[in-house]
Amino acid sequence: MSKERARRRAEREAERARAVRLNEQRQARAARRRALLARLIPRPVRIARQGGLLARRRRGQNAVLGLVFVLVQVVAWLYWGSPFLSLTVFVFSLLLAPVVMTLAFDRRT
């Protein structure tokens, strides 16, 4: 009886050792794959976002200007409907946006 238990225990330990070895091989293969991908794929540089009151205010101002820009484009398209005039309004808006930003939000340096 004890020889039978010893044999079964040895089989269980051998099975456990094989499972551990397979798991280690899988993990090593995954680590090599991750390392290869890390070398091949460039990671974008993460730029830290400013978090103060001035940065929050500036983000809000940029959002307002962007919203006004989009609204002007929509109104121009709906009012005139001509692609040429809409493109003209788009170019004019692009040229005028910095001026509006400076005058409306007092961004003189």
Side-chain angles (χ1 to χ4, degrees):
M1 189 63 144
S2 66
K3 289 181 183 180
E4 182 66 26
R5 277 186 277 154
R7 184 183 60 77
R8 280 188 274 173
R9 183 176 61 237
E11 288 174 0
R12 281 194 310 266
E13 288 175 357
E15 180 65 31
R16 197 174 301 128
R18 189 169 358 111
V20 167
R21 190 171 51 251
L22 284 174
N23 191 24
E24 288 173 352
Q25 288 173 352
R26 246 184 261 124
Q27 287 178 350
R29 193 169 38 246
R32 285 193 305 270
R33 189 176 354 167
R34 280 192 302 270
L36 177 66
L37 284 175
R39 281 183 301 205
L40 293 178
I41 299 173
R43 301 252 170 141
V45 177
R46 187 174 186 279
I47 299 173
R49 189 174 178 179
Q50 297 293 325
L53 174 66
L54 294 176
R56 251 192 327 270
R57 184 180 300 158
R58 185 172 188 125
R59 280 193 298 271
Q61 291 171 352
N62 289 342
V64 166
L65 184 69
L67 182 66
V68 168
F69 182 82
V70 169
L71 287 175
V72 166
Q73 302 311 310
V74 168
V75 167
W77 180 259
L78 292 176
Y79 186 71
W80 286 297
S82 167
F84 176 73
L85 287 175
S86 296
L87 182 64
T88 304
V89 169
F90 177 74
V91 171
F92 188 67
S93 298
L94 282 179
L95 293 175
L96 202 60
V99 175
V100 170
M101 182 67 78
T102 302
L103 294 176
F105 300 123
D106 195 25
R107 289 196 181 172
R108 290 171 282 166
T109 55

